[in-house]
Amino acid sequence: MNMGDLIIIGGAEDKTGECSILKTFVELSLAVGERIAIVTTATEMPIEAGNQYKSLFMRLGAAQTAILNINSRDDADMEANAKLTAEAAGIFFTGGDQLRITSILGGTRVYMALHSAYKTGAVIAGTSAGASAMSRTMIVDGNDNDAARKCTLKMAPGLGLLEKALVDQHFHQRGRIGRLLCGVAENPSILGIGIDEDTAVRVFPDDHFEVLGSNSVTVVDGRYIKSSNVSELMPDENLAISNVVLHVLPSGYGYDPVNGEVLRLHQAL
């Protein structure tokens, strides 16, 4: 059974120019099937967000686009919504609040249909909050532009589409390196992936990923950490961490988390 690709976007992706990230999502989806589903659960303005992305996807070549305004667990358990999710070739999660995504969808028919669609080849994409929700453990909250402290980070279970990784978005624009380092210190076996605005990672079925867009992706690999004081900290104390491996990768590069190797691609994507 084949598994689809993930397109995980750091937010504020280009929507007026070449729209290279969104275009990649549409093209990959159309290679699988005809319908794209837009899930607006994260946002409190679902009509506006849904219509914006529907218009964009149609301009980029998608003929069949469905907006799933799933705003309650009752909505997420509706057979019609589950059917649309299961049959979609591409599923796109808008930005907003990632805890809305997981608390509304978790364990419902739509949640099961999402995982079924992904396992059978559908392309799943998310921007901003929709990006954070992709991983099994997600960042819910944390201080921006702050030193790495235990109190700056709150995590919760995510959608579980991306295993063994922790995703943060709007990364350099909001100064989130401290909270990602703290997350990796708490979970050294989980790869930290910080994605800048107008930037994305395309995750392939074998878990390697490639960088798309105009900025960079920061990779924090904690497998080689020698020591940290994260278990000893009081909430406001500064984190100490040694021998963490960090990479900053623009478009044209990728990463193989299995072997811990940076990939230099033959051309920028």
Side-chain angles (χ1 to χ4, degrees):
M1 184 178 292
N2 294 324
M3 189 173 291
D5 289 358
L6 299 175
I7 306 291
I8 308 176
I9 309 167
E13 69 279 2
D14 175 24
K15 301 181 184 69
T16 59
E18 294 184 1
C19 305
S20 62
I21 295 171
L22 297 178
K23 184 177 181 181
T24 297
F25 165 67
V26 170
E27 289 176 347
L28 290 173
S29 299
L30 293 179
V32 176
E34 296 181 348
R35 178 177 290 132
I36 289 175
I38 302 164
V39 183
T40 61
T41 305
T43 179
E44 294 183 353
M45 296 185 292
I47 303 300
E48 295 87 340
N51 287 337
Q52 179 187 38
Y53 280 106
K54 180 175 182 177
S55 176
L56 279 167
F57 293 153
M58 290 180 68
R59 177 164 66 85
L60 294 171
Q64 296 187 33
T65 306
I67 301 173
L68 299 184
N69 290 327
I70 300 172
N71 297 309
S72 69
R73 289 183 62 78
D74 284 342
D75 292 341
D77 262 328
M78 288 178 58
E79 183 60 33
N81 286 332
K83 187 172 187 292
L84 283 170
T85 303
E87 295 176 353
I91 302 168
F92 186 89
F93 286 84
T94 68
D97 180 349
Q98 54 265 43
L99 200 54
R100 279 182 55 84
I101 296 174
T102 56
S103 64
I104 290 173
L105 298 187
T108 65
R109 290 184 180 181
V110 166
Y111 177 88
M112 301 302 180
L114 173 70
H115 279 262
S116 176
Y118 179 50
K119 289 176 182 177
T120 53
V123 182
I124 315 295
T127 184
S128 191
S132 288
M134 294 288 182
S135 53
R136 183 161 297 282
T137 300
M138 68 178 184
I139 294 176
V140 174
D141 196 14
N143 295 343
D144 297 341
N145 295 304
D146 201 358
R149 296 186 179 94
K150 205 169 188 177
C151 68
T152 67
L153 186 68
K154 295 179 182 178
M155 294 190 287
L159 291 173
L161 297 168
L162 181 64
E163 296 283 353
K164 297 183 178 179
L166 184 66
V167 175
D168 210 350
Q169 20 81 10
H170 300 283
F171 193 67
H172 278 113
Q173 288 75 18
R174 299 187 185 178
R176 290 179 165 174
I177 183 66
R179 71 186 204 177
L180 189 60
L181 282 168
C182 192
V184 172
E186 292 182 10
N187 301 272
S189 66
I190 295 178
L191 191 71
I193 305 174
I195 308 175
D196 290 353
E197 294 179 355
D198 192 37
T199 308
V201 294
R202 175 186 175 184
V203 184
F204 290 77
D206 67 357
D207 287 337
H208 91 274
F209 64 79
E210 298 178 356
V211 179
L212 312 172
S214 64
N215 288 305
S216 298
V217 170
T218 300
V219 177
V220 180
D221 193 333
R223 287 175 290 183
Y224 311 104
I225 289 174
K226 294 291 187 183
S227 64
S228 78
N229 66 348
V230 70
S231 64
E232 305 161 11
L233 291 179
M234 296 297 288
D236 290 316
E237 291 180 330
N238 288 332
L239 176 71
I241 185 171
S242 68
N243 215 55
V244 65
V245 177
L246 187 145
H247 309 282
V248 179
L249 308 175
S251 177
Y253 287 80
Y255 194 71
D256 175 3
V258 175
N259 298 309
E261 294 180 356
V262 172
L263 307 174
R264 180 68 190 269
L265 309 176
H266 64 278
Q267 61 181 4
L269 297 178

